[in-house]
Amino acid sequence: MARTLAMFTDTSLCIGCRACQVACKQWNELGMEVPEWTGTYQNHEHFTDKTFRLVRFIEEPKPTGDLAWLLMSDVCKHCAQAGCLDACPTGAIYRTEYGTVNISQDVCNGCRYCVSSCPFGVVAFNESTGTATKCTFCNDRIHNGLGPACAKACPTESIQFGFRDDLVAKAQKRVETLKAMGFKDAQLYGADAKGFLGGLNAFFLLLSRPGTYHLPENPKLPQRNVVVDSLLSIGSALIVGLGALLAFRDRGKGRDDA
Amino acid sequence: MLKTPGWEMMIVWYFFLGGIAGGAYFTAAIADNFGGARDRQVARAGYVLSLPLVMACGVLLIADLGVPTRFLNMLRVLKFWDPMSIGAWVVGAFGMFSFVSSVLSFSTSARTDALRRKIGLVGIFFGFFLASYTGVLLSSSAQPFWSEARLMGALFLASGASTGMAAISLILFLTGASAGEGWGKVKKADRYSMVFELCVLAIFLALLGSAATPLTSGHFAPLFWGGLVGVGLIVPLLLDLVGHRVKTLAALSALLVLAGGFVLRYVVLMSIQS
Ligand code: SF4
Ligand code: SF4
């Protein structure tokens, strides 16, 4: 495997211009969205088959009473332990030699198990092709020496692309700087390869708790349940089987107390 | 900001029919192997019932994919830790067991009888799997409530048993074969399964705690408490208790169990997807 590639999204630098969102659409030929009123600046709200990069516009109440902008360009996390990948029964979802997670459109059969298995709600079903879609980490670009379209378009370097180890080191320094500047909640999300999901290959610097950005505080791999739940099902089968055995056991002629 | 998979009525039917198919088959195989000669009708009804049901399961699964031939993509790989992947294979394997056992259930020679019993003993495992894996499939997703339900597979299995046995008893009733000893035994086995299902359900809810709210309160609660717990389990048990020598009441109770099994799959799937 080649050195793992990553995207580091530093939300403290995001100005909400959505250049990344547009660049992603341009490169990946994604269609337009129908606007959707959500009662906030967030329009629209979810990743779809037409939106793989999504800028979140969050207004956080400040102690002074007014609102602070929190802006964050969200994307598939390309998890080191990816729920979508483990769920896929066709092998359509695979890990590239760079550590990114991708969906082969010609192998996907449209079962949608991955949609229900991403802890971040990233994978979206495309009704017209009948397949699951998500950010490809610009698979075609990274295999041709170009960075992802979103990172390239970002005018403030809020989205940075590079080798994961380099970016993590950079991100750690940046958190320290921000803390020294008084952003006491500045924190990395998914940078730690020993943390949740084995670390995210698209990781973030946040200025507030993950929940504020609609990110789960402690995402878990869905497949962690398979073994325990299967054992409990086997236990259930034993009891049911025993019951049936007792009911059907042949106790010789002449007795029918059923 | 999780997304739900959009598994709706076709999958509800699949879960329901798959449960009955698995339950009917393992009941048949147990009756065949451990019952007496007079339980043969039960075995035959169970084997033969499982065949059209598993075929319907296949059709539903394939139809839900939109493009039928894409089902073949599942057969490229076998992932042991992935319920969806093994599930697809097991539906096929179960179908074969179901077919062979059904054909052999019409045998008249002792040798083919013995063969059928042996095949049934292996098929039991596929039956148990088919009835329960759909629960594990849901509980190993990222969805709230589903992923917290440690006993989802166990509950689906108990429901597959109670509905499979109810379906067999209904067939015996409708074909006029309810006079034999087999009918009484399958009804008895069904009562055991229902009692067990109620217990599993209670522990299931207790373990879930507040995570069970999509079922226990809100829009789907009346259906859950009334349709599954009441009409689908408690009422049939009472009917069996008071009227277990009255065949029509016993048949009615079987019908209610089936309805309850459908409601279970419906509320579990739809309560967090709508
Ligand atoms: S964020 Fe979701 S879609 Fe992306 S790799 Fe992780 S599990 Fe898969
Ligand atoms: S919808 Fe496609 S990509 Fe997703 S799990 Fe199913 S086959 Fe795999």
Side-chain angles (χ1 to χ4, degrees):
Chain A
M1 197 153 131
R3 248 171 112 191
T4 304
L5 292 177
M7 279 193 273
F8 165 43
T9 305
D10 179 348
T11 68
S12 69
L13 296 175
C14 181
I15 54 170
C17 70
R18 296 214 260 208
C20 50
Q21 206 170 315
V22 174
C24 175
K25 272 187 198 283
Q26 314 257 86
W27 186 267
N28 294 300
E29 301 174 274
L30 305 177
M32 77 171 196
E33 294 282 355
V34 180
E36 154 192 88
W37 172 246
T38 60
T40 69
Y41 280 88
Q42 193 65 46
N43 187 347
H44 54 101
E45 206 175 4
H46 298 287
F47 290 112
T48 68
D49 55 329
K50 302 186 195 77
T51 301
F52 300 164
R53 256 284 173 194
L54 177 62
V55 179
R56 299 203 186 278
F57 293 78
I58 296 147
E59 289 173 294
E60 198 191 35
K62 285 206 281 197
T64 52
D66 31 77
L67 296 168
W69 271 120
L70 291 176
L71 299 158
M72 174 216 186
S73 177
D74 201 358
V75 71
C76 167
K77 320 300 183 274
H78 296 271
C79 317
Q81 292 162 13
C84 64
L85 191 154
D86 279 354
C88 180
T90 63
I93 307 190
Y94 67 99
R95 194 172 296 284
T96 68
E97 67 272 38
Y98 296 119
T100 59
V101 176
N102 216 348
I103 308 181
S104 311
Q105 291 300 307
D106 52 348
V107 179
C108 170
N109 72 359
C111 72
R112 316 191 290 290
Y113 198 23
C114 54
V115 176
S116 73
S117 300
C118 169
F120 305 98
V122 168
V123 187
F125 188 64
N126 181 331
E127 294 288 343
S128 55
T129 59
T131 54
T133 54
K134 70 169 194 71
C135 158
T136 67
F137 211 103
C138 283
N139 200 41
D140 46 356
R141 293 177 60 100
I142 59 174
H143 279 88
N144 286 287
L146 301 165
C150 54
K152 202 108 210 174
C154 178
T156 65
E157 294 191 337
S158 170
I159 305 174
Q160 299 175 34
F161 162 71
F163 292 115
R164 192 173 196 280
D165 38 10
D166 295 346
L167 286 177
V168 169
K170 216 170 172 179
Q172 280 158 347
K173 276 207 198 101
R174 176 72 183 155
V175 178
E176 292 318 312
T177 315
L178 283 168
K179 282 207 165 131
M181 284 165 72
F183 292 94
K184 59 179 186 347
D185 288 329
Q187 55 189 281
L188 295 181
Y189 186 80
D192 184 2
K194 289 192 207 74
F196 56 75
L197 304 178
L200 310 177
N201 292 336
F203 61 95
F204 300 81
L205 188 159
L206 309 176
L207 293 179
S208 181
R209 291 180 50 235
T212 315
Y213 298 87
H214 309 296
L215 291 167
E217 303 277 341
N218 184 22
K220 296 195 191 89
L221 190 69
Q223 288 75 17
R224 74 191 180 284
N225 295 330
V226 172
V227 173
V228 174
D229 296 10
S230 301
L231 288 176
L232 289 168
S233 303
I234 293 172
S236 174
L238 286 176
I239 298 176
V240 161
L242 198 70
L245 205 78
L246 287 177
F248 281 105
R249 188 179 39 156
D250 198 18
R251 283 155 305 182
K253 291 190 204 83
R255 278 192 58 196
D256 183 2
D257 60 356
Chain B
M1 299 237 164
L2 290 166
K3 281 202 187 70
T4 53
W7 290 331
E8 303 197 338
M9 285 327 281
M10 272 200 266
I11 302 298
V12 172
W13 277 104
Y14 167 62
F15 281 16
F16 173 61
L17 297 180
I20 303 178
Y25 188 97
F26 66 65
T27 306
I30 290 172
D32 202 9
N33 277 283
F34 304 102
R38 286 184 293 170
D39 298 330
R40 184 138 178 198
Q41 297 155 324
V42 174
R44 182 183 294 164
Y47 288 142
V48 173
L49 170 67
S50 68
L51 185 60
L53 291 183
V54 68
M55 281 162 46
C57 285
V59 171
L60 285 165
L61 273 189
I62 291 170
D64 190 65
L65 297 178
V67 182
T69 51
R70 284 197 191 142
F71 179 75
L72 296 174
N73 295 2
M74 297 235 203
L75 308 181
R76 296 169 71 240
V77 285
L78 173 59
K79 289 161 93 170
F80 284 106
W81 62 96
D82 181 356
M84 180 78 86
S85 174
I86 336 180
W89 286 95
V90 167
V91 172
F94 179 85
M96 281 191 285
F97 276 94
S98 170
F99 176 74
V100 175
S101 301
S102 299
V103 172
L104 291 182
S105 70
F106 292 95
S107 87
T108 45
S109 87
R111 275 203 18 230
T112 40
D113 279 350
L115 178 66
R116 183 192 64 238
R117 291 200 185 100
K118 288 213 182 79
I119 291 175
L121 275 184
V122 182
I124 281 183
F125 295 100
F126 292 93
F128 279 135
F129 187 96
L130 182 63
S132 59
Y133 90 92
T134 47
V136 180
L137 185 148
L138 297 182
S139 66
S140 47
S141 73
Q143 307 295 318
F145 159 46
W146 290 355
S147 63
E148 287 151 272
R150 292 285 64 77
L151 288 177
M152 191 80 91
L155 180 63
F156 278 19
L157 190 132
S159 167
S162 67
T163 52
M165 292 166 185
I168 295 181
S169 68
L170 260 186
I171 290 184
L172 296 183
F173 176 77
L174 293 173
T175 55
S178 58
E181 188 183 342
W183 149 272
K185 285 184 175 178
V186 78
K187 285 296 296 180
K188 188 180 196 179
D190 201 12
R191 285 196 294 277
Y192 290 167
S193 300
M194 281 190 268
V195 172
F196 177 62
E197 187 177 346
L198 272 174
C199 298
V200 176
L201 190 60
I203 308 172
F204 171 90
L205 291 177
L207 288 178
L208 274 171
S210 63
T213 41
L215 292 184
T216 51
S217 53
H219 191 58
F220 286 84
L223 205 51
F224 174 74
W225 292 115
L228 171 60
V229 181
V231 174
L233 287 168
I234 294 176
V235 174
L237 272 173
L238 290 178
L239 276 181
D240 276 359
L241 216 68
V242 296
H244 78 109
R245 301 223 173 254
V246 187
K247 294 264 149 73
T248 9
L249 280 187
L252 176 66
S253 114
L255 213 57
L256 296 181
V257 174
L258 287 174
F262 187 82
V263 169
L264 170 66
R265 308 317 194 281
Y266 181 81
V267 292
V268 164
L269 277 171
M270 304 305 276
S271 61
I272 65 163
Q273 290 197 105
S274 52

